[in-house]
């Protein structure tokens, strides 16, 4: 009974590692794209922008959800 449990755990770990390697390879291949080469970084996220036409810029709702998720994470870790 215990050996079947460890076999399932090992199989799940192998599947998880395979999926991470597969997704990681796809993300590495996507880095060759010219649009992704222009990275802004975290310092440019909340900086005032002179051009409002940037399609990659987050809107106010996305900024609020990003900041609020930290507080939700703290509540979940503390009380669960």
């Amino acid at each position: 009974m215990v050996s079947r449990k460890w076999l399932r755990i090992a199989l799940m770990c192998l599947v998880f590692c395979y999926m991470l390697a597969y997704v990681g390879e796809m993300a590495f291949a996507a880095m060759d794209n010219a649009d992704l080469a222009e990275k802004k970084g975290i310092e440019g996220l909340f900086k005032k922008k002179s051009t409002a036409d940037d399609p990659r810029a987050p809107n106010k709702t996305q900024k609020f959800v990003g900041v609020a998720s930290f507080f939700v994470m703290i509540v979940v870790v503390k009380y669960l």
Side-chain angles (χ1 to χ4, degrees):
M1 186 71 175
V2 175
S3 63
R4 293 183 92 184
K5 179 181 175 182
W6 285 107
L7 184 62
R8 287 181 186 167
I9 292 172
L11 182 64
M12 287 178 64
C13 286
L14 286 174
V15 169
F16 179 71
C17 290
Y18 175 75
M19 293 302 290
L20 278 178
Y22 179 71
V23 171
E25 183 178 336
M26 289 181 0
F28 183 73
M31 286 178 53
D32 293 335
N33 194 351
D35 293 337
L36 294 176
E38 297 178 24
K39 295 183 180 175
K40 290 188 174 186
I42 193 70
E43 67 273 359
L45 183 63
F46 291 103
K47 186 171 55 173
K48 296 288 182 184
K49 295 178 178 59
S50 60
T51 61
D53 297 337
D54 191 10
R56 296 180 295 156
N59 57 22
K60 289 183 180 181
T61 306
Q62 291 172 334
K63 289 179 185 178
F64 175 74
V65 169
V67 172
S69 67
F70 287 111
F71 297 112
V72 171
M73 177 191 61
I74 291 170
V75 169
V76 166
V77 168
K78 184 173 183 169
Y79 294 111
L80 291 183

